Amino acid sequence: GQQLNQSPQSMFIQEGEDVSMNCTSSSIFNTWLWYKQDPGEGPVLLIALYKAGELTSNGRLTAQFGITRKDSFLNISASIPSDVGIYFCAGQLSGTASKLTFGTGTRLQVTL
Amino acid sequence: SQTIHQWPATLVQPVGSPLSLECTVEGTSNPNLYWYRQAAGRGLQLLFYSVGIGQISSEVPQNLSASRPQDRQFILSSKKLLLSDSGFYLCAWTAYTEAFFGQGTRLTVV
């Protein structure tokens, strides 16, 4: 099935550093979503993007819907220990009203 | 507000035994419902989705089946579990585009 290429696969950073991750696809997406998953929990929605070029913030998180509609990035500023987890991008492909395609995830570790 | 309930939280089952995982959604009507599986440290694999009662779409051939007997109820089943069915199973719902997940069921087949 359709894959979203998410990078990096994992990141080890120090508390206070900024983080950037992205998702790319060869297909056009109508919607981009970013989720965070804590160990043993279900993913929680962080940011939703609906228009090409849209830039949206949620606290220390900022995400953008790429102008080509084939990519998106998520930035986390001034990371803290509770940012640890797996971050997933997800997108709704043009023409698929019911399904989301998920990226492979970025595992974030924050050291003190 | 909408909530999604998924149970049980953990399950250990012997190979060859049946499986039934249940998911219910409250606070919305006619949601799209989904079952995902997540292997340890991996991404989310879509197993089934449903856009209405009795309407099930399967994404991958496998040992599992799904049913939607009521508008807000989604059930994942197996007649005989395999070792490879172990994983973290997540139910999700969408109204338009944003998906909301349950807490997940950790299934270990032994």
Side-chain angles (χ1 to χ4, degrees), chain A residues 22-34:
Chain A
N22 68 83
C23 270
T24 60
S25 174
S26 58
S27 301
I28 289 175
F29 282 77
N30 290 333
T31 303
W32 284 96
L33 308 172
W34 284 93

Side-chain angles (χ1 to χ4, degrees), chain A residues 13-72:
Chain A
I13 63 169
Q14 286 194 320
E15 184 178 8
E17 290 184 357
D18 296 343
V19 174
S20 184
M21 60 191 78
N22 68 83
C23 270
T24 60
S25 174
S26 58
S27 301
I28 289 175
F29 282 77
N30 290 333
T31 303
W32 284 96
L33 308 172
W34 284 93
Y35 289 84
K36 181 189 177 216
Q37 185 179 29
D38 291 326
E41 305 280 332
V44 174
L45 181 65
L46 298 174
I47 292 180
L49 302 160
Y50 300 103
K51 295 191 303 185
E54 180 181 354
L55 183 71
T56 297
S57 293
N58 178 7
R60 293 179 296 106
L61 278 60
T62 301
Q64 184 160 29
F65 192 144
I67 197 71
T68 64
R69 296 169 65 191
K70 294 182 179 181
D71 63 331
S72 177

Side-chain angles (χ1 to χ4, degrees), chain A residues 85-102:
Chain A
I86 304 177
Y87 291 79
F88 290 100
C89 62
Q92 183 189 63
L93 276 168
S94 178
T96 60
S98 303
K99 296 192 295 182
L100 286 177
T101 301
F102 278 83

